[in-house]
Amino acid sequence: MDKALLELRDVSKRFVKPPDTAARIAKVFGAQRAAEVVHAVDHTNLSIQSGEVVGLVGESGCGKSTLGRMTVGLHSLSSGTRWWQGEDMAQLSGGELRRKQLAMQMIFQDPYASLNPRMRIQDIVGEAPLAHGMVTRAEQKDYVANLLQKVGLDPALVRRFPHQFSGGQRARIGIARALAVKPELLVCDEAVAALDVSIQAQVLNLFIELRNELKLTYLFISHDLGVVRHISDRVVIMYLGRIVESSLTAELFAQANHPYTSALLASAPKLEVKKIDFVAVKGEIPSPLHPPSGCHFHPRCPHAMPRCSVEQPALKEIAPQHFSACHLNDVA
């Protein structure tokens, strides 16, 4: 396999809640209170090849968005390293680091909240290329107009404000802003979740067209298995901060290995002309403040063994390009 475009090696992210006033007063009087630590991402490895579309799937609260923000550098790493085309990003500094960072851009879940309501579209989309010297002030308007046209918007709208657009149009503005600095990797965090189904299809087709035209690489974060199946080359399943399964899309949907993946597929709606029993994933996802020991999924797993509660399963290759982290794979 060629050198990965981006690689996360054994990365973790922990959020520590600072003590509130009551805790500080209690500490003065000698009370000892353990710090509250959210284990958002737990020793995770992720590799993305150039030109690939990787779908990242999991329930809400499993750490998908945090991992996406770590990918583009919006969140620092509590531990582990981030590599771009074989170079450790932590060893870069100054202009070289900025150039590498520009190649990674993010499209956010809420297209309205991510746009400055006081700025016109020309400035929202054109601010970054102007700041980084890609265009001059005189060239900015035409540059933004071309980007709007590329994402399916009327270039004549460059002087409007975000509130003057529909949800689907704002999603396209977010895409244009990400494309403005000519990135190689786009991290799409639930980029179509807030849109109507018909608009979702249009935006997904736009992603596919842009990938082919601009040779982009995507990390596509979603909880919608139908969307992921449509757009992804490879699917990564995440549960409570850990990757539990990774495979080519067709194989994962045909032969899921991990019990959590099987549960997700069983709970997904299907368009079939017959009676279908809906099977929800049993139980609630545990709190990342106190994740279970061993395999994080064992309290909800119908196949859990005593070993699962004490020993973390390793992510192993069980078939070509198919990885799974489950002790059932060790049972003869």
Side-chain angles (χ1 to χ4, degrees), residues 15-17 34-40 61 240 285-292:
F15 296 99
V16 182
K17 179 183 177 182
E36 293 186 359
V37 181
V38 175
H39 300 266
L240 206 60
I285 187 168
S287 170
L289 282 169
H290 306 287

Side-chain angles (χ1 to χ4, degrees), residues 8-322:
L8 300 176
R9 299 182 184 176
D10 197 32
V11 298
S12 297
K13 183 61 181 179
R14 294 177 289 275
F15 296 99
V16 182
K17 179 183 177 182
D20 55 19
T21 303
R24 290 196 295 269
I25 293 173
K27 186 176 180 180
V28 171
F29 290 97
Q32 296 296 324
R33 185 176 176 182
E36 293 186 359
V37 181
V38 175
H39 300 266
V41 177
D42 185 21
H43 296 286
T44 293
N45 294 283
L46 179 65
S47 177
I48 304 175
Q49 303 297 316
S50 180
E52 188 178 31
V53 179
V54 177
L56 182 59
V57 180
E59 293 171 285
S60 296
C62 73
K64 306 186 301 295
S65 294
T66 301
L67 187 64
R69 288 169 179 263
M70 294 166 70
T71 299
V72 298
L74 288 178
H75 281 329
S76 60
L77 310 182
S78 298
S79 63
T81 54
R82 184 167 61 117
W83 297 70
W84 178 260
Q85 295 179 328
E87 292 185 87
D88 186 353
M89 298 287 287
Q91 304 302 317
L92 303 177
S93 61
E96 183 66 18
L97 180 60
R98 282 193 296 274
R99 282 192 294 274
K100 302 291 185 185
Q101 284 289 155
L102 280 179
M104 297 168 270
Q105 295 298 313
M106 190 160 188
I107 299 171
F108 298 93
Q109 178 174 356
D110 187 339
Y112 187 65
S114 65
L115 302 177
N116 189 330
R118 295 184 177 89
M119 293 177 67
R120 299 181 189 273
I121 301 308
Q122 177 177 324
D123 298 315
I124 289 174
V125 177
E127 181 182 36
L130 182 64
H132 291 283
M134 295 180 174
V135 295
T136 64
R137 176 66 70 178
E139 298 169 334
Q140 185 191 49
K141 184 177 180 179
D142 289 339
Y143 186 76
V144 173
N146 288 334
L147 283 170
L148 293 184
Q149 195 167 26
K150 194 180 292 290
V151 299
L153 290 175
D154 186 350
L157 305 178
V158 292
R159 299 297 297 167
R160 289 192 179 184
F161 292 95
H163 73 272
Q164 296 176 288
F165 294 88
S166 67
Q169 289 174 321
R170 286 195 287 261
R172 293 172 186 267
I173 292 168
I175 296 170
R177 179 178 60 180
L179 294 176
V181 291
K182 301 179 180 177
E184 296 180 54
L185 171 68
L186 286 182
V187 176
C188 308
D189 184 13
E190 301 278 10
V192 297
L195 306 177
D196 293 338
V197 174
S198 60
I199 305 300
Q200 280 188 11
Q202 295 175 20
V203 175
L204 286 174
N205 289 334
L206 174 62
F207 277 125
I208 294 172
E209 292 169 10
L210 291 173
R211 175 201 182 185
N212 296 332
E213 180 182 347
L214 303 177
K215 307 209 181 318
L216 294 171
T217 303
Y218 293 137
L219 174 61
F220 202 90
I221 301 170
S222 180
H223 63 274
D224 190 327
L225 289 166
V227 168
V228 169
R229 186 174 191 172
H230 176 68
I231 199 171
S232 302
D233 301 316
R234 180 163 57 95
V235 179
V236 174
I237 306 295
M238 193 169 185
Y239 183 78
L240 206 60
R242 295 176 181 170
I243 290 175
V244 297
E245 188 164 5
S246 172
S247 175
L248 297 178
T249 303
E251 182 174 349
L252 184 128
F253 279 86
Q255 294 182 316
N257 176 267
H258 197 280
Y260 178 59
T261 308
S262 300
L264 287 179
L265 294 177
S267 66
K270 300 176 180 65
L271 292 175
E272 297 181 12
V273 188
K274 65 178 183 179
K275 183 179 179 181
I276 300 174
D277 293 326
F278 175 76
V279 183
V281 183
K282 294 182 179 179
E284 296 289 334
I285 187 168
S287 170
L289 282 169
H290 306 287
S293 59
C295 174
H296 283 171
F297 188 60
H298 83 264
R300 305 170 69 187
C301 181
H303 310 291
M305 303 176 286
R307 176 186 181 188
C308 299
S309 63
V310 295
E311 184 181 341
Q312 177 184 343
L315 192 66
K316 298 179 180 178
E317 189 170 18
I318 58 171
Q321 300 186 64
H322 191 163

